[in-house]
Amino acid sequence: TPVPGLEAECLNAVALEKAYPGDVGVIGALLLNLVELKPGEALALGAGNLHAYLEGTGIELMANSDNVLRGGLTPKHVDVPELLRVLDFSNGPVRVVTPTTGAEAVYPTPFPDFRLSRLDVSAPLELPRLGPDIVLCTAGSVTVNGLVLERGASAFAPFSDGALKVS
């Protein structure tokens, strides 16, 4: 019987155990904040935050780094001593990030290394650049600096290309 108030967490643990039998990450997942994001919402997590995606589609952005540590729920190597050394064990609520409004909806975060924007391309846009960009088409098709991207396709736009022209 699920624990009152923790029904979703218990159901997730059962599903994770079926998907990853015997993986200690199932127990670890019970220690995480369960956050259900609505379409268009995001999380901004600093380094050392253990996280997992249970379902849906998401985009993960991270600063330039030469390491990714896993805590379970994967067939890949888990370096437990290093994971314990770098994890941030602070508790507390998770802040859901919502974008600004406008043709370029920016997700505000405290990280200067990168920025995530969602573009409304109902009309052609010409955007100033802060650096190189990776453009991902999430619906329909879009033309970026002359290159056509279909849904699910992405492209790198070097900073040297000048303004980002999107239609």
Side-chain angles (χ1 to χ4, degrees):
T1 306
V3 178
L6 297 176
E7 293 86 353
E9 288 85 346
C10 293
L11 291 172
N12 285 330
V14 170
L16 289 171
E17 173 56 28
K18 285 181 184 172
Y20 303 95
D23 190 320
V24 70
V26 173
I27 301 300
L30 289 170
L31 301 174
L32 303 179
N33 291 309
L34 180 60
V35 180
E36 185 173 335
L37 296 174
K38 296 178 185 80
E41 292 181 333
L43 295 178
L45 303 173
N49 277 273
L50 193 61
H51 60 279
Y53 308 99
L54 299 180
E55 62 183 87
T57 301
I59 299 169
E60 182 171 359
L61 303 176
M62 56 189 279
N64 187 22
S65 173
D66 63 356
N67 65 346
V68 172
L69 294 171
R70 292 166 180 84
L73 306 179
T74 177
K76 298 177 182 176
H77 176 68
V78 177
D79 183 343
V80 175
E82 183 64 8
L83 185 65
L84 292 174
R85 187 184 73 75
V86 301
L87 275 182
D88 177 355
F89 289 97
S90 304
N91 71 359
V94 175
R95 185 175 75 91
V96 174
V97 179
T98 55
T100 61
T101 57
E104 181 182 18
V106 178
Y107 289 81
T109 73
F111 311 118
D113 305 67
F114 55 83
R115 181 170 98 166
L116 175 65
S117 298
R118 186 182 69 233
L119 302 178
D120 175 358
V121 193
S122 54
L125 300 171
E126 186 166 322
L127 301 169
R129 308 286 295 283
L130 301 173
D133 289 292
I134 297 173
V135 181
L136 171 65
C137 180
T138 59
S141 65
V142 65
T143 301
V144 180
N145 290 359
L147 177 66
V148 177
L149 299 176
E150 300 295 330
R151 181 177 187 253
S154 62
F156 177 75
F159 185 59
S160 59
D161 282 357
L164 196 65
K165 297 174 183 83
V166 185
S167 60

